[in-house]
Amino acid sequence: AQKVTQAQTEISVVEKEDVTLDCVYETRDTTYYLFWYKQPPSGELVFLIRRNSFDEQNEISGRYSWNFQKSTSSFNFTITASQVVDSAVYFCALSEAGYGGATNKLIFGTGTLLAVQP
Amino acid sequence: NAGVTQTPKFRILKIGQSMTLQCTQDMNHNYMYWYRQDPGMGLKLIYYSVGAGITDKGEVPNGYNVSRSTTEDFPLRLELAAPSQTSVYFCASSYSSPQETQYFGPGTRLLVL
């Protein structure tokens, strides 16, 4: 069964602190895709990153970085030098390629609410 | 490019009423999806479509219907609104499959009283 767990319900940091949001996933497929989305207080969902299961290189984009470790089934997201504008709910999501029972869906975790205090 | 647009932004319904949530995308995407987001939860798939004329159920389809007559439009219909359908509804689209990046609309907040 496919599942995404974001154990951190809420995190509060002070501006300029680094913060890591955890994401642990479960899948039986060898080919799958992992995503992070940001949902700011305005409510829309903003795509951040997509990673396939064969690419374990860490990704960095400005203050954002992602650490993908297949050995621990984790896809963690780090914000360096956090800013107030980073305050949002962050969702991790998983999509299997379809072996062993095709699934046409994106499975979301329950999200982590990040509050960055000035 | 407007991306994915949804109307209305907010609606209050009485129990038993019906309504249609509109979704349009201008990216020529083949796949379209409807999700609902309940407080403190992630998104759950209601229905999806792999192309015009083809739709299928997701995880939580009960109480909803969809149609896909064009590539651009994917309306979601609530026939007999119930309080359990109070939620935020998101429409999304992707070019070729759920493994591609899904782009989301701004959402429709629905309150059923």
Side-chain angles (χ1 to χ4, degrees), chain A residues 20 26 30-31 42 44 47 64 68 71 75 81 89 92 94-95 112:
Chain A
T20 296
E26 294 177 30
T30 56
T31 304
S42 51
E44 73 273 23
F47 165 74
Y64 294 172
F68 177 29
S71 60
F75 187 43
V89 179
C92 181
L94 163 72
S95 182
T112 297

Side-chain angles (χ1 to χ4, degrees), chain B residues 3 9 20 29-30 32-33 39 41 45 49 67 75 77 84 93 101-102 104 110-111:
Chain B
K9 289 185 179 178
T20 298
H29 285 173
N30 293 309
M32 295 187 74
Y33 317 82
M41 304 294 289
L45 184 67
S49 169
S67 60
R77 178 119 181 119
S84 60
S93 71
T101 299
Q102 292 185 26
F104 286 80
L110 178 65
L111 181 60

Side-chain angles (χ1 to χ4, degrees), chain A residues 1-6 23-34 68-70 72-75 92-97 103 105 107-109:
Chain A
Q2 50 181 338
K3 184 180 178 182
V4 176
T5 301
Q6 294 180 257
C23 173
V24 174
Y25 61 92
E26 294 177 30
T27 178
R28 294 182 200 164
D29 278 4
T30 56
T31 304
Y32 52 89
Y33 296 80
L34 295 162
F68 177 29
Q69 291 197 339
K70 288 177 78 170
T72 56
S73 297
S74 64
F75 187 43
C92 181
L94 163 72
S95 182
E96 296 173 335
T103 56
K105 56 187 178 183
I107 297 295
F108 283 83

